[in-house]
Amino acid sequence: MKKKQATGLWMIGRFPQSGVTVYEKQGKRISRSAHNKTKPNHCTLKQFEQRQRMRHSIALWHALSWCNPMFTEHQSAYSGFVALANRLPAVFINDRDASNNASLLMPDIPVSEGTLLSVKQYLGEVDGATALITNMKKSNIRQGMELYLYTAEQKIERDCPKVYFEVRKVTKDEMTETDNGLALVGDDFANTNKGWALVLVKGERCSSQGIVTRCTLYQQYTTPEAMISAAKSHSNRKMKIDLSSNAF
C-alpha cells in the first residue's frame, strides 16, 4: 500500500474507496481516477483447450525425459517432443490433477524423431500369443544399428492419472520372425494399461516412433463434458473462462 502523507488539508496517495489518486507534480496537486482498468485474464474455451494441450505435453515430457529420448530434428529434445505432442488429442484435466502433473496414455505419444526409416508396428498375435509386430526383417537391422523398446504404463495415484516410461535395449535374438516382420512376443503385450514403441538407432540418428497401446482411459478426458468440468475447476480470480464459447 502506498504511503499517505498529510500536507495541510491534502492527503497525498491512492484512495481506492473514493476512486481517486492524489499526487504532487511541479508544485501542483493533481487528482485522477484510482480505478484499476486492467482486465482480468479471460480466455475462451478454445484458448483453454490450447493451454490444456500444452500443459499435458509438458507433463508427458517430465515422465519421458529421464529415458533420454532422441528428437534429432529440433534444437532440443524437449522442443521436438512438445511440437509433436501438441498434435495429440486435447485432454481436459481438472485443476487439482493438472497441478500434480497428471498425464494420460494414448496412441502416438512421440518417443523419438529422426532421419532413419520409421518402423511400422502394431499390437497383434503370433501363434496365439500377444505380440508387438513390426514390418522389419532381420536384414533391415544393419551393422551398428540398435533397437530400443520404450514402455509406457498408465497408473492411478491418489485418483490422479499418471504415465510412467521406461526404456531398454532389445537384441535381434529376442525377436520372432513372422510373415509380416519381426515381432516381440509376450503376455505383457496384452496389458491394456501399457503401450510400446520400438526405436531404431544408429549413432546420432534414430527412427521417428510413437506409442501403440490398447489403453482407452484417455478417451473420457476428451469429451465436451470433460472440457466444461475441467474449465469450471480452473476458472478462478486469475483466469476467467468463457463457458458460453464453443470449442467443438
Side-chain angles (χ1 to χ4, degrees):
M1 182 176 180
K2 293 185 177 179
K3 184 178 179 180
K4 300 173 184 178
Q5 296 176 318
T7 57
L9 296 178
W10 284 87
M11 293 286 289
I12 307 299
R14 186 169 180 268
F15 305 89
Q17 298 91 342
S18 302
V20 174
T21 293
V22 178
Y23 60 96
E24 193 170 69
K25 184 177 182 181
Q26 295 180 348
K28 297 181 180 180
R29 292 182 177 88
I30 301 171
S31 63
R32 62 174 176 78
S33 172
H35 292 302
N36 187 352
K37 296 182 180 180
T38 303
K39 293 183 178 180
N41 183 12
H42 284 79
C43 73
T44 65
L45 278 176
K46 194 67 178 178
Q47 291 169 328
F48 176 66
E49 175 186 345
Q50 295 303 319
R51 293 185 185 194
Q52 285 284 88
R53 195 187 300 272
M54 176 59 77
R55 195 166 189 175
H56 186 238
S57 296
I58 294 172
L60 285 173
W61 172 252
H62 285 317
L64 176 64
S65 59
W66 80 272
C67 296
N68 296 317
M70 299 174 68
F71 291 85
T72 62
E73 302 309 291
H74 295 266
Q75 289 185 343
S76 68
Y78 168 77
S79 62
F81 174 84
V82 170
L84 295 173
N86 278 343
R87 301 174 189 174
L88 294 171
V91 290
F92 304 105
I93 299 171
N94 66 48
D95 183 50
R96 179 185 68 86
D97 289 345
S99 297
N100 289 324
N101 288 322
S103 53
L104 292 155
L105 176 57
M106 63 179 67
D108 300 322
I109 292 175
V111 297
S112 65
E113 185 186 32
T115 57
L116 293 183
L117 189 64
S118 297
V119 179
K120 293 182 180 179
Q121 46 199 285
Y122 61 94
L123 295 169
E125 291 188 354
V126 174
D127 296 330
T130 54
L132 177 65
I133 305 171
T134 77
N135 66 336
M136 289 190 304
K137 305 296 182 181
K138 280 193 175 181
S139 59
N140 296 141
I141 307 176
R142 300 173 184 173
Q143 186 174 3
M145 288 185 173
E146 298 176 319
L147 277 173
Y148 288 87
L149 177 66
Y150 286 77
T151 300
E153 183 173 8
Q154 180 74 75
K155 295 185 178 181
I156 305 295
E157 297 182 349
R158 298 181 181 179
D159 296 325
C160 179
K162 289 191 175 183
V163 180
Y164 289 88
F165 291 88
E166 60 182 35
V167 62
R168 70 175 182 88
K169 189 175 178 179
V170 173
T171 66
K172 287 194 290 185
D173 293 338
E174 294 180 66
M175 308 289 285
T176 299
E177 290 190 81
T178 74
D179 292 339
N180 295 319
L182 293 174
L184 281 172
V185 181
D187 294 338
D188 201 38
F189 295 111
N191 192 324
T192 56
N193 287 318
K194 287 187 176 183
W196 301 268
L198 270 171
V199 178
L200 191 62
V201 176
K202 184 176 183 181
E204 298 299 317
R205 302 170 65 202
C206 68
S207 59
S208 299
Q209 306 296 158
I211 291 289
V212 294
T213 181
R214 295 188 181 93
C215 187
T216 59
L217 177 67
Y218 76 95
Q219 293 177 358
Q220 63 185 264
Y221 292 84
T222 62
T223 65
E225 293 77 15
M227 177 183 234
I228 296 298
S229 177
K232 287 180 178 179
S233 76
H234 283 268
S235 189
N236 52 42
R237 291 183 180 181
K238 292 183 178 180
M239 180 172 66
K240 296 295 184 182
I241 301 168
D242 181 7
L243 298 177
S244 65
S245 61
N246 186 4
F248 293 87

